[in-house]
Amino acid sequence: MAIRQILRRSLSSERRSASSGVGVPMGHLVVYVGENEKKRFVIPVSHLNHSSFQELLFQAEEEFGFHHPMGGLTIPCSQDLFVDLVSDLSRT
């Protein structure tokens, strides 16, 4: 249930971003990643099904609740860890 709320809010933010000229390909979403300085990543929605990515979503929920300061889904982990995870998920 909580993951659905996070995604719903994130996707509604993405629709607003897309309408303002910031394009996100169909089947992808924007996440902001970083412990201090946030970096924007566009990832496939399919990554959300993986248990390792869901763990990051739970961490985001614990830290931010359903209010994400960047307007999209914000993930509180190092960018290096995130890049490694996304690379691994892209290979599977």
Side-chain angles (χ1 to χ4, degrees), residues 74-88:
T74 306
I75 299 181
C77 74
S78 75
Q79 293 175 9
D80 291 336
L81 175 80
F82 185 79
V83 168
D84 289 344
L85 173 65
V86 170
S87 295
D88 289 344

Side-chain angles (χ1 to χ4, degrees), residues 1-10 54 57-62 65-66 68 73:
M1 180 72 157
I3 292 174
R4 288 184 184 169
Q5 286 179 310
I6 291 171
L7 291 177
R8 231 180 261 130
R9 289 180 184 214
S10 178
Q54 288 179 4
L57 292 176
F58 288 123
Q59 289 175 14
E61 179 186 2
E62 286 177 9
F66 297 113
H68 292 268
L73 182 58

Side-chain angles (χ1 to χ4, degrees), residues 34-78:
E35 294 164 328
N36 297 319
E37 187 175 325
K38 309 293 187 235
K39 182 174 179 184
R40 182 179 188 262
F41 291 88
V42 178
I43 61 164
V45 173
S46 62
H47 287 357
L48 300 174
N49 293 326
H50 295 276
S51 60
S52 52
F53 198 89
Q54 288 179 4
E55 180 60 35
L56 291 178
L57 292 176
F58 288 123
Q59 289 175 14
E61 179 186 2
E62 286 177 9
E63 183 158 332
F64 300 111
F66 297 113
H67 172 72
H68 292 268
M70 299 297 292
L73 182 58
T74 306
I75 299 181
C77 74
S78 75

Side-chain angles (χ1 to χ4, degrees), residues 1-35:
M1 180 72 157
I3 292 174
R4 288 184 184 169
Q5 286 179 310
I6 291 171
L7 291 177
R8 231 180 261 130
R9 289 180 184 214
S10 178
L11 291 173
S12 67
S13 291
E14 293 307 316
R15 287 186 195 111
R16 285 193 300 273
S17 294
S19 67
S20 66
V22 179
V24 177
M26 181 80 75
H28 290 71
L29 76 145
V30 172
V31 295
Y32 295 92
V33 179
E35 294 164 328

